[in-house]
């Protein structure tokens, strides 16, 4: 029985377009990829406990007019509170 090459091409085209093609069976499909918020990425760091920390603003320049105690407090890290953590986890999904 003779089958034309055009018929074979048509059947192959329908097979490939109707079936979903999986490119890798080892990795689960998790689309779409989530993007990390750039401003959050620059300002916050994730902690092993699940919280986040950041630096205080205003510690870099114009320090002559600031009291020493204020400069010491600005040098410390600030930690996220319970109200900020769900939003930070959404903004930094892979941290």
């Amino acid at each position: 029985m003779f089958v034309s090459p055009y018929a074979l091409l048509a059947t192959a085209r329908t097979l490939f377009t109707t079936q979903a093609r999986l490119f890798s069976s080892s990795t689960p499909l998790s689309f779409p990829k989530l993007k990390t918020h750039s401003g959050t990425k620059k300002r916050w760091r994730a902690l092993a406990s699940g919280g986040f920390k950041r630096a205080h603003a205003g510690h870099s320049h114009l320090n002559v007019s600031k009291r020493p105690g204020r400069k010491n407090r600005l040098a410390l890290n600030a930690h996220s509170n319970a109200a900020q953590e769900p939003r930070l986890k959404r903004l930094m999904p892979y941290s």
Side-chain angles (χ1 to χ4, degrees):
M1 172 170 104
F2 176 74
V3 179
S4 71
Y6 298 109
L8 287 174
L9 184 63
T11 56
R13 187 175 295 144
T14 57
L15 283 175
F16 285 120
T17 56
T18 56
Q19 294 177 354
R21 290 182 282 175
L22 297 176
F23 294 102
S24 175
S25 61
S26 61
T27 58
L29 294 177
S30 59
F31 292 106
K33 291 181 180 177
L34 299 175
K35 291 190 175 183
T36 302
H37 189 264
S38 297
T40 309
K41 175 175 51 177
K42 294 169 189 175
R43 291 170 175 85
W44 292 89
R45 298 286 175 255
L47 298 173
S49 63
F52 295 88
K53 70 176 183 177
R54 66 170 172 84
H56 283 283
H59 185 60
S60 299
H61 56 84
L62 300 176
N63 290 325
V64 176
S65 62
K66 294 174 187 163
R67 297 185 324 269
R70 179 179 171 192
K71 288 190 285 188
N72 287 339
R73 282 194 307 274
L74 289 175
L76 299 175
N77 287 329
H79 295 275
S80 61
N81 55 30
Q84 292 171 324
E85 286 179 11
R87 175 174 283 174
L88 288 170
K89 286 180 182 176
R90 252 194 333 268
L91 291 171
M92 298 178 66
Y94 301 108
S95 62

